[in-house]
Amino acid sequence: MKFRVDINCDLGESYGAFKVGSDEKIMPHITSANIACGFHAGDPTAMMQTVKLAKKHDVAVGAHPGYPDLLGFGRREIQLTTEEIRNYTIYQISALQGFAKAAGVSLQHVKPHGALYNTAVKDANVSKAIAKAVKALNPELIIFAPPESALAKVAVKTGLRAAHEVFADRAYNSDGSLVSRKQPNAIIQEPKQVLERVAKMIKEKMVIAVNGETVNLGEVHTICVHGDTLTAVELVTTLKKGLIKAGIAVKPVSSFV
Amino acid sequence: MKFRVDINCDLGESYGAFKVGSDEKIMPHITSANIACGFHAGDPTAMMQTVKLAKKHDVAVGAHPGYPDLLGFGRREIQLTTEEIRNYTIYQISALQGFAKAAGVSLQHVKPHGALYNTAVKDANVSKAIAKAVKALNPELIIFAPPESALAKVAVKTGLRAAHEVFADRAYNSDGSLVSRKQPNAIIQEPKQVLERVAKMIKEKMVIAVNGETVNLGEVHTICVHGDTLTAVELVTTLKKGLIKAGIAVKPVSSFV
Amino acid sequence: MKFRVDINCDLGESYGAFKVGSDEKIMPHITSANIACGFHAGDPTAMMQTVKLAKKHDVAVGAHPGYPDLLGFGRREIQLTTEEIRNYTIYQISALQGFAKAAGVSLQHVKPHGALYNTAVKDANVSKAIAKAVKALNPELIIFAPPESALAKVAVKTGLRAAHEVFADRAYNSDGSLVSRKQPNAIIQEPKQVLERVAKMIKEKMVIAVNGETVNLGEVHTICVHGDTLTAVELVTTLKKGLIKAGIAVKPVSSFV
Amino acid sequence: MKFRVDINCDLGESYGAFKVGSDEKIMPHITSANIACGFHAGDPTAMMQTVKLAKKHDVAVGAHPGYPDLLGFGRREIQLTTEEIRNYTIYQISALQGFAKAAGVSLQHVKPHGALYNTAVKDANVSKAIAKAVKALNPELIIFAPPESALAKVAVKTGLRAAHEVFADRAYNSDGSLVSRKQPNAIIQEPKQVLERVAKMIKEKMVIAVNGETVNLGEVHTICVHGDTLTAVELVTTLKKGLIKAGIAVKPVSSFV
C-alpha cells in the first residue's frame, strides 16, 4: 500500500490496586504502546504485564516518561532543570527497558507524557534534555512528537528519528496546537468523523482547524488514541478497520520511519 | 599476590536536597560501589553523579535495590509477593543500568539493601525472586551475599556468580549472623582491630564470634564498609592500606569471582 | 426499636486521577464513612469531597488510617515501631479532622485500614499505639474493631469506646476470624443471604462459621460493607431495607455506643 | 521596650533516616518555629519531635506547608489549581495541628514554604487559596508574609492577621524582592552586618537595596533565619543577643501582632 500509519495508545497506567484503562481490550487494535514508567503512573508489575501483553499482540513497545507527580498524573507542569529532566527521562526509559529485556522484546520509541510532552513541544531546551537522554541510552529509539514541534526538530538535530504524531479525537487550532480540553469542542467523539479526519491527515497531510483554516501537517506517522474513555475500544476498532479499508496500512512506526 | 579481596560500600543515598554520606571521600578507597536506585534512597540525579564518580575512580558499579520505602530507608520489612520482589528488582537494576550506559560503564553486581538483604539471606523464595530478576537482565551480574546464605546458594543454583560478603566493622554470632545493632557490642570501631579481623577472615576463612567460637566463612570475596559514619573515611583508608601491606590485593570482585 | 446497627463503608479511596469506588452511589445508604487519609489511598481533594458528600447525606465521618504504602494500598504489613504507628495515626486522623472542621462536621470514629487493621486486631502493642494516638487527639472518637479483638479490648482499657464490627459479606472461621480471601468461599455475594446472616448477628449475637460451628459475637454495633464491587450498591440497599423491615434501626454508631 | 520582633526558622525538615538541620541547637535561640508537614519535608515522627522540642524551649509553633514534592524539597513550582492549593494547605496544617494537640500546645502561625511562598507572595489567587484554608481551620492563625506582598494583603482582607517577615541574611532588590540565590551577593554572611541590617529594618522600617536605593518595609514583625548552614547557630545567637542589646525585645509574634 502507498499509505501507512501507526496507531499508538497510552497504556500500563495502573498503579498497584488503582486500576486504569482497558489495556486488554485496546492492545489488539493498536500497533504501538506507550507504557507508563512509574513516575506519573505505572508500577513495576503493571510495566511487566503491559510489556507482555504488547508482545502477545505484536504491538511495539515504547517508554512514556512523565513528571514525578503521581498525585497529578503528570498533567501539572513542574519547574525542573534540564539536568533533572534528562536524568528523570534516563531513569524511566531504562526501567522500562529492563522489563522489555526480561520479556524478550526491544523498545521502539519514547513519548513524553502529559505536561512533559506539552512543555517539550514548545521548549527546545526541554526537548534537548529528553533527546540527550534517549540518545545516550539507544539512538535507535524513535521520539513521538507533533509535526513541526520543537521536540520533533530537536530529535532530528540530535540524530534521532522523530515520528510525527496526530491526535485522532482532538480538534486543532489553526496554529497546529490542540484545542484545550477546557473548550466544549475539544473532543471529537463520533467514530466515523474521527476516521474521516484521520484518513485526510494521512493522505492529504492536513487537518481543518476549528476556525475553518487548513493546517498543513506534513507527513503523519502515528495516530494517538485514548484508552481511558468508555468508547475507546469502539473508536479504535472503527479507526483501524476504516483505515485499512481506505487503503492505509496500519503497522508499527519503526517499520517505515 | 595469593590473596585478594574487594571493598564495597553503599553510596548514592542522597535524595534531592536530602544529602547523605561522604561519597566523594569514600569512593577513592573502595573497589565496588553499591548504588541506591530510588526506592529506599537515591534519585536519578544522585544515580548519575554517583556512577560518574565511580567511573572517575575506577570503582566497579552495582545496583543496590531496596523495598519501596523512602520513609523507612528500606530498613523495614514489607510483606511483598515474590512477583512484586522480582519486578521491583528488575525496575531498580534497570534504572541504574541506564545511568551506567549513559556514563559508559558496565554494571558489575547487585546487592539487595537493608531489610530486603536481611530477608533474602534467610528466605530462599525471596532470593529466587531476586536471582530471577538479575538473570533475566544480565547473567553476568554478580550477587553479593553472606557466605552460606540462602541468597548465595540460590544465586549459584540460578546460574549466577555469588560474591561472599563479610562486614568489616560488625561483630558476628556463632551461627554466622551479625550481632544486632541493638546490642552494645555490635559495632567494632577501632580501625586496627577491624583490619586484623578482616585479614583473618580472608586468610584463615574464619571469624571469632562474640561467644568465642570460631565461625567458618569459606572463601571471602568482598568486605562491606559503611560510609555514613564520621570515622568511615579513616576506617576505609586504614583498611585498604593495611590489607595491601598484609599481602592482600584489593580489587573489584569481577576480576576474581 | 429494640435493635439498632450502623452500616460503615470505606470511601474516599481515589488518589488524584486514579478514581476508585462508587462513593456517590453508596453514601446515601450507609450511616458511617471510613475516609482514607492519604497514606494508602485518598488525597486532600478526595478527602474534602468525601467529607462534604457524607455531610450531605447525614453520614457520620471517620478516619481510615493505613500504612504508608500507596503502591500496596495499605494491604501489605510493614514492620513499624509502635512509635511510628502512633505518629502515623496522629498524622492521618488530624489531616482528616481538618477537612471535617472546614466542612463543619465532627469526626465520629477511627477504623484502621487493611494490614494495619489486621495487625492491630491481633497485636495489643499495635492496638495501644493506635489507641494512644486517638486518645491524644480526641477521647470522644470511637474505635471500630472486631468483637473480642485486641484492638477492641485495648480501646476500652485506654478509656475509649469501641464499636464491634462485623463484615456483611465475609465468611467466618470458628475462632471468629475472617476466612482468607484466597479461599473460594471467603465472600458471600447473594444479597438475601447476606441480609439473613447480618440480622442473625445483630439479634442472636452469633454467626455460623464455615465449619458449621457457632461463633459468639456479643453485641454487634456496626456492619462493614464494601464499596468497590459491582454489586456493592445493590447489596447495601438490600441490606439497609431488609434490616429496617426486620425491626433493626440503621443509624450512626455514635448514637448508641 | 519600644521595639520588639520575632525570630523564626524552618525546622523539622528531616524525613525518616534523612536528617536535616541542627534543630536542637537552633531552637533555644528563636521564638517561632516553622515546622515542615510531610509534603516537601518532615514526617510524622519528625513533626512530633519538633513540636515537643519547641514546647521545651517555649518557642511558638507554626505550620510550614509546601508543594507535594519531596524530591524537589518544595522548591520547584508546580502548576496547581487553587482548589488543590487550598486542600493541600488544609491537609498539612491539620496534620501538624494534631501533633500540637498531642503535645499540649497551640499553633500560632502558618508560613508557606519555598516555591509555594514565592508564588503566594506574587499571586493573589494562590494567596486567597491559602488564606481560605487557614481561616476555615482557625482564624486565630497568623500568616507570615513579606511586607506589602499579595499574601500579606490577602491575609488581612480575609480577616486574618499577617506578620510582616524579613530575611536576616538576604540582600534585597529595590522593589522589595530578594536578590536571587543565583547572584553572588544574595547572601549576607557576616553576623554583625546581619545584625545591623536587621536592627535598621525594625527601627527605621527600611533596608538598603543592592543598588543603593532605600526600600520602605513598614512595620517588621518577624525575622527569618536559616537553620541549615554551618554558621546558622552562630548567626542566630549573635542576632538575638544583639537585638536585645539594641533595645529590641525578641518574642513570639502572637504577643504583639
Side-chain angles (χ1 to χ4, degrees):
Chain A
M1 292 191 211
K2 185 178 159 196
F3 298 106
R4 72 285 169 277
V5 81
D6 174 64
I7 299 179
N8 79 75
C9 186
D10 301 350
L11 296 174
E13 295 184 325
S14 293
Y15 185 80
F18 298 97
K19 299 302 176 195
V20 169
S22 312
D23 290 17
E24 306 211 343
K25 288 180 185 160
I26 293 281
M27 195 70 90
H29 308 293
I30 63 170
T31 46
S32 292
N34 318 312
I35 301 180
C37 301
F39 271 40
H40 71 278
D43 69 62
T45 297
M47 290 163 80
M48 184 80 264
Q49 289 171 346
T50 312
V51 168
K52 283 182 180 171
L53 187 66
K55 185 185 183 186
K56 183 178 159 193
H57 293 285
D58 279 325
V59 169
V61 166
H64 198 41
Y67 282 118
D69 181 20
L70 194 70
L71 180 52
F73 206 72
R75 290 177 179 155
R76 310 186 292 203
E77 193 176 346
I78 305 179
Q79 297 291 345
L80 302 182
T81 65
T82 52
E83 189 195 2
E84 288 170 330
I85 290 173
R86 192 197 61 201
N87 291 336
Y88 295 1
T89 304
I90 288 177
Y91 187 98
Q92 293 180 75
I93 297 172
S94 304
L96 185 67
Q97 167 59 35
F99 293 103
K101 181 83 195 296
V105 300
S106 298
L107 289 194
Q108 173 195 246
H109 69 282
V110 173
K111 175 178 166 178
H113 168 81
L116 181 59
Y117 185 88
N118 295 338
T119 304
V121 159
K122 290 173 297 187
D123 185 329
N125 287 322
V126 170
S127 294
K128 272 180 212 166
I130 295 170
K132 270 189 200 173
V134 172
K135 196 172 184 190
L137 294 175
N138 179 2
E140 295 301 311
L141 292 172
I142 300 166
I143 291 187
F144 281 18
E148 301 299 314
S149 62
L151 183 56
K153 289 174 189 166
V154 165
V156 171
K157 252 190 225 167
T158 309
L160 302 167
R161 285 177 290 168
H164 297 163
E165 178 182 47
V166 294
F167 291 81
D169 61 354
R170 294 291 297 277
Y172 278 76
N173 293 310
S174 58
D175 66 353
S177 65
L178 298 177
V179 173
S180 164
R181 280 174 189 270
K182 290 171 192 162
Q183 303 297 327
N185 58 347
I187 308 289
I188 299 153
Q189 294 192 319
E190 215 281 300
K192 279 191 191 163
Q193 199 188 341
V194 169
L195 171 60
E196 274 172 35
R197 282 172 66 86
V198 168
K200 197 178 189 110
M201 287 172 169
I202 298 163
K203 292 186 168 174
E204 305 181 21
K205 304 183 180 179
M206 49 87 92
V207 66
I208 305 301
V210 279
N211 69 354
E213 289 183 29
T214 296
V215 182
N216 291 314
L217 297 170
E219 196 79 20
V220 167
H221 302 120
T222 185
I223 309 160
C224 182
V225 295
H226 293 99
D228 53 355
T229 60
L230 288 173
T231 56
V233 180
E234 190 200 340
L235 180 74
V236 72
T237 50
T238 303
L239 188 61
K240 192 180 181 183
K241 277 187 204 163
L243 289 172
I244 293 170
K245 213 170 170 183
I248 301 167
V250 177
K251 52 186 180 178
V253 79
S254 57
S255 62
F256 60 85
V257 160
Chain B
M1 291 189 210
K2 187 179 161 194
F3 298 105
R4 72 284 167 279
V5 79
D6 174 63
I7 300 179
N8 79 74
C9 186
D10 301 350
L11 296 174
E13 294 184 326
S14 292
Y15 185 80
F18 299 98
K19 299 303 175 195
V20 169
S22 311
D23 291 16
E24 306 211 344
K25 289 181 185 160
I26 294 282
M27 195 69 89
H29 309 293
I30 62 171
T31 46
S32 291
N34 318 313
I35 301 180
C37 302
F39 272 40
H40 69 278
D43 70 61
T45 297
M47 291 163 80
M48 183 80 263
Q49 289 170 347
T50 311
V51 168
K52 283 183 181 170
L53 187 66
K55 185 185 183 185
K56 183 178 158 191
H57 293 285
D58 278 325
V59 169
V61 166
H64 198 41
Y67 282 119
D69 182 19
L70 194 71
L71 180 52
F73 206 74
R75 290 177 179 156
R76 312 186 292 203
E77 193 177 345
I78 306 179
Q79 297 292 346
L80 301 182
T81 65
T82 52
E83 189 196 2
E84 288 170 331
I85 290 174
R86 192 198 61 201
N87 291 336
Y88 296 0
T89 304
I90 289 177
Y91 187 98
Q92 293 180 75
I93 298 173
S94 304
L96 185 67
Q97 167 59 36
F99 293 104
K101 180 82 197 297
V105 301
S106 297
L107 290 194
Q108 174 195 247
H109 69 282
V110 173
K111 175 177 168 179
H113 167 81
L116 181 59
Y117 184 89
N118 295 338
T119 304
V121 159
K122 292 173 294 186
D123 184 328
N125 287 322
V126 169
S127 294
K128 272 180 211 166
I130 295 170
K132 269 189 200 173
V134 172
K135 195 172 185 191
L137 294 175
N138 179 3
E140 296 300 312
L141 292 172
I142 299 167
I143 291 188
F144 282 19
E148 300 301 312
S149 62
L151 183 56
K153 290 173 188 166
V154 165
V156 171
K157 252 190 226 166
T158 310
L160 302 168
R161 287 177 288 169
H164 296 164
E165 179 181 47
V166 293
F167 291 81
D169 60 355
R170 294 292 296 276
Y172 278 76
N173 293 310
S174 59
D175 66 353
S177 65
L178 299 177
V179 173
S180 164
R181 281 175 189 270
K182 290 169 192 164
Q183 302 297 327
N185 59 348
I187 308 288
I188 297 153
Q189 293 191 318
E190 214 279 301
K192 278 189 192 164
Q193 200 188 339
V194 169
L195 171 60
E196 274 172 35
R197 283 171 67 86
V198 168
K200 199 177 188 108
M201 287 172 171
I202 298 164
K203 292 186 167 174
E204 305 180 22
K205 303 182 181 181
M206 49 88 92
V207 67
I208 305 300
V210 280
N211 68 355
E213 289 182 29
T214 296
V215 181
N216 290 316
L217 297 170
E219 196 79 20
V220 166
H221 302 121
T222 186
I223 309 160
C224 182
V225 295
H226 293 99
D228 53 355
T229 60
L230 288 174
T231 57
V233 179
E234 190 200 341
L235 180 74
V236 72
T237 50
T238 302
L239 188 60
K240 192 180 181 182
K241 277 186 204 163
L243 289 172
I244 293 171
K245 214 169 168 182
I248 301 168
V250 176
K251 51 187 180 177
V253 80
S254 57
S255 62
F256 61 86
V257 162
Chain C
M1 292 189 212
K2 185 179 161 195
F3 298 106
R4 72 284 167 281
V5 79
D6 174 65
I7 300 179
N8 79 75
C9 186
D10 301 351
L11 296 173
E13 294 185 326
S14 292
Y15 185 80
F18 299 97
K19 299 302 175 195
V20 170
S22 311
D23 291 15
E24 306 211 344
K25 288 180 185 159
I26 293 282
M27 195 69 91
H29 308 293
I30 64 171
T31 46
S32 291
N34 318 313
I35 301 180
C37 302
F39 272 40
H40 70 278
D43 70 61
T45 297
M47 291 163 80
M48 183 80 266
Q49 289 171 346
T50 312
V51 168
K52 283 182 181 171
L53 187 66
K55 185 185 184 186
K56 183 178 159 192
H57 293 285
D58 279 324
V59 169
V61 165
H64 198 41
Y67 282 119
D69 181 20
L70 194 70
L71 180 52
F73 206 72
R75 290 176 178 155
R76 311 186 293 203
E77 192 177 346
I78 306 179
Q79 296 293 346
L80 302 183
T81 65
T82 52
E83 189 196 1
E84 288 170 332
I85 291 174
R86 192 198 61 203
N87 291 335
Y88 296 1
T89 304
I90 289 177
Y91 187 97
Q92 293 179 74
I93 298 173
S94 304
L96 185 68
Q97 167 59 36
F99 294 103
K101 180 84 194 297
V105 300
S106 297
L107 289 194
Q108 174 195 246
H109 68 282
V110 173
K111 175 178 167 178
H113 167 81
L116 181 59
Y117 185 88
N118 295 337
T119 304
V121 159
K122 292 173 296 187
D123 185 329
N125 287 323
V126 170
S127 293
K128 272 180 212 165
I130 295 170
K132 269 190 202 172
V134 172
K135 196 172 184 192
L137 293 175
N138 179 2
E140 296 300 312
L141 292 172
I142 300 166
I143 291 189
F144 282 19
E148 299 300 313
S149 62
L151 183 56
K153 290 174 188 165
V154 165
V156 171
K157 252 190 227 166
T158 310
L160 302 167
R161 286 177 289 168
H164 296 162
E165 179 182 46
V166 294
F167 291 81
D169 60 355
R170 293 292 297 276
Y172 278 77
N173 294 310
S174 58
D175 65 353
S177 65
L178 298 176
V179 173
S180 164
R181 281 175 189 269
K182 291 170 190 161
Q183 303 296 327
N185 58 347
I187 308 287
I188 298 154
Q189 293 191 319
E190 215 278 301
K192 278 189 192 166
Q193 200 187 339
V194 170
L195 171 60
E196 274 172 36
R197 283 171 66 85
V198 168
K200 199 178 187 107
M201 288 172 170
I202 297 164
K203 291 186 169 176
E204 305 181 22
K205 304 183 180 179
M206 50 86 93
V207 67
I208 306 301
V210 280
N211 68 355
E213 288 182 29
T214 296
V215 182
N216 290 315
L217 297 169
E219 196 79 20
V220 166
H221 302 120
T222 184
I223 309 160
C224 182
V225 294
H226 293 99
D228 53 354
T229 60
L230 287 174
T231 56
V233 179
E234 190 200 340
L235 180 74
V236 71
T237 50
T238 303
L239 188 61
K240 193 180 180 183
K241 277 187 205 164
L243 289 172
I244 293 170
K245 215 169 168 182
I248 301 168
V250 177
K251 51 186 181 178
V253 80
S254 57
S255 62
F256 60 85
V257 163
Chain D
M1 290 189 213
K2 185 179 159 195
F3 298 106
R4 73 283 167 280
V5 80
D6 174 64
I7 299 179
N8 78 76
C9 186
D10 301 350
L11 296 174
E13 295 184 325
S14 293
Y15 184 81
F18 298 97
K19 297 302 175 197
V20 170
S22 311
D23 291 16
E24 304 211 345
K25 289 182 184 158
I26 294 281
M27 194 69 90
H29 308 293
I30 63 171
T31 45
S32 291
N34 318 312
I35 301 180
C37 303
F39 272 39
H40 70 278
D43 70 62
T45 297
M47 290 162 81
M48 183 79 265
Q49 288 170 347
T50 312
V51 168
K52 283 182 181 170
L53 186 66
K55 185 185 182 183
K56 184 179 159 192
H57 293 285
D58 278 324
V59 169
V61 166
H64 197 41
Y67 282 119
D69 182 19
L70 194 70
L71 179 52
F73 206 73
R75 290 177 179 156
R76 309 185 295 202
E77 193 176 346
I78 306 179
Q79 297 292 345
L80 302 182
T81 65
T82 51
E83 190 196 0
E84 288 170 331
I85 290 174
R86 193 198 60 202
N87 291 335
Y88 296 1
T89 304
I90 289 177
Y91 187 97
Q92 294 180 74
I93 298 173
S94 303
L96 184 68
Q97 167 60 36
F99 294 103
K101 180 84 197 293
V105 300
S106 298
L107 290 193
Q108 173 196 247
H109 68 283
V110 173
K111 175 178 167 179
H113 167 81
L116 181 59
Y117 185 88
N118 295 337
T119 304
V121 159
K122 289 173 298 187
D123 185 328
N125 286 323
V126 169
S127 293
K128 272 180 211 168
I130 295 170
K132 270 190 200 174
V134 172
K135 196 173 185 192
L137 293 175
N138 179 1
E140 295 301 312
L141 292 171
I142 300 166
I143 291 188
F144 282 18
E148 300 300 313
S149 62
L151 183 57
K153 289 174 189 166
V154 165
V156 172
K157 253 191 225 165
T158 310
L160 301 167
R161 286 177 289 169
H164 295 163
E165 179 182 45
V166 293
F167 291 81
D169 60 356
R170 293 292 296 277
Y172 278 76
N173 294 310
S174 58
D175 66 352
S177 65
L178 298 177
V179 173
S180 164
R181 279 175 190 269
K182 291 171 190 161
Q183 302 297 328
N185 58 346
I187 308 289
I188 297 154
Q189 294 191 318
E190 215 280 299
K192 279 190 193 164
Q193 201 188 339
V194 169
L195 171 60
E196 274 172 35
R197 282 170 68 85
V198 168
K200 199 177 188 108
M201 288 173 171
I202 298 163
K203 292 187 168 175
E204 305 181 22
K205 304 183 182 180
M206 51 87 92
V207 66
I208 305 300
V210 280
N211 69 355
E213 289 182 28
T214 296
V215 181
N216 290 315
L217 297 170
E219 196 79 18
V220 167
H221 302 120
T222 186
I223 308 161
C224 182
V225 295
H226 294 98
D228 53 355
T229 61
L230 288 173
T231 55
V233 180
E234 190 200 340
L235 180 73
V236 71
T237 49
T238 303
L239 188 60
K240 194 180 180 183
K241 277 188 206 164
L243 288 172
I244 294 170
K245 213 170 171 181
I248 301 168
V250 177
K251 51 187 180 177
V253 78
S254 57
S255 62
F256 60 86
V257 161

